[in-house]
């Protein structure tokens, strides 16, 4: 592995760690990591953006291991679409909506446990992000990094706008 690849991997690890710290401590934690690093890596660390509260809540959900079922549901949805099975699509759509709502509630609980209550708008952004991950494999890969800095909407995925939503390298 060359030096740039090592730096990319270290940056991704640091970005994942920072993406899960409470928003109030992000800046101090980022500064500490940058001071511990050197050269180009230190500069890249200082450029890491602080996640929005909604993105941070989704990152907590990823670290909690709660998105595996959602990604499995995604595969079943795509299979039903390929088979043009209307009854199965309806059943899976209902299951998807219930799962997205439950995961958004769990993200809210995790955020509250960490000292930050999600507003209704933040909860809606969490739901949109989880839904994007269930519906789109590219969005799922971005979400599952646990390095989101902003929520993801399906329109952004379709326009190729994920680069700004993920800290570090894109999956």
């Amino acid at each position: 592995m060359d030096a740039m690849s090592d730096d990319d991997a270290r940056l991704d690890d640091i970005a994942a760690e920072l993406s899960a710290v409470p928003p109030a401590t992000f800046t101090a934690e980022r500064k500490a990591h940058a001071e511990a690093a050197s050269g180009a890596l230190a500069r890249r660390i200082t450029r890491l953006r602080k996640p929005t509260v909604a993105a941070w809540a989704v990152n907590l959900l990823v670290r909690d291991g709660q998105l595996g079922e959602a990604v499995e549901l995604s595969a079943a949805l795509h299979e039903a679409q390929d088979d043009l099975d209307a009854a199965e699509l309806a059943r899976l759509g209902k299951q998807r909506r219930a799962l997205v709502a439950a995961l958004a509630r769990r993200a809210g609980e995790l955020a509250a446990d960490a000292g930050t209550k999600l507003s209704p708008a933040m909860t809606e952004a969490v739901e949109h992000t989880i839904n994007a991950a269930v519906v789109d494999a590219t969005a799922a890969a971005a979400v599952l990094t646990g390095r989101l800095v902003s929520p993801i909407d399906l329109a952004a995925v379709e326009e190729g706008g994920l680069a700004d939503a993920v800290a570090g390298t894109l999956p």
Side-chain angles (χ1 to χ4, degrees):
M1 200 182 258
D2 64 30
M4 187 59 183
S5 295
D6 288 343
D7 276 359
D8 284 348
R10 286 187 61 210
L11 181 69
D12 287 351
D13 289 344
I14 291 166
E17 183 181 326
L18 290 173
S19 295
V21 301
T25 63
F26 177 87
T27 304
E29 295 274 342
R30 178 182 60 197
K31 182 179 179 189
H33 278 286
E35 288 173 353
S38 62
L41 178 60
R43 288 188 296 279
R44 291 174 74 190
I45 292 168
T46 61
R47 287 194 303 264
L48 290 173
R49 291 187 359 240
K50 178 179 176 178
T52 65
V53 173
W56 168 73
V58 173
N59 293 335
L60 293 179
L61 196 60
V62 170
R63 289 178 77 93
D64 195 47
Q66 297 292 313
L67 287 176
E69 185 180 344
V71 173
E72 289 173 19
L73 177 60
S74 173
L77 275 168
H78 290 296
E79 189 175 309
Q81 275 181 315
D82 291 345
D83 295 344
L84 299 175
D85 185 340
E88 183 67 359
L89 274 173
R91 185 186 73 74
L92 290 170
K94 184 176 180 181
Q95 185 180 351
R96 176 183 51 83
R97 286 185 295 278
L99 179 61
V100 167
L103 287 169
R105 279 191 304 277
R106 178 64 182 147
E109 292 167 2
L110 292 167
D113 290 348
T116 302
K117 184 171 174 18
L118 297 184
S119 70
M122 289 177 211
T123 301
E124 185 176 335
V126 169
E127 287 177 354
H128 284 274
T129 301
I130 296 167
N131 189 58
V134 170
V135 173
D136 185 90
T138 303
V143 169
L144 291 174
T145 65
R147 297 184 273 119
L148 291 183
V149 293
S150 62
I152 295 175
D153 193 272
L154 278 176
V157 175
E158 292 167 3
E159 296 169 8
L162 287 179
D164 292 337
V166 179
T169 61
L170 277 177

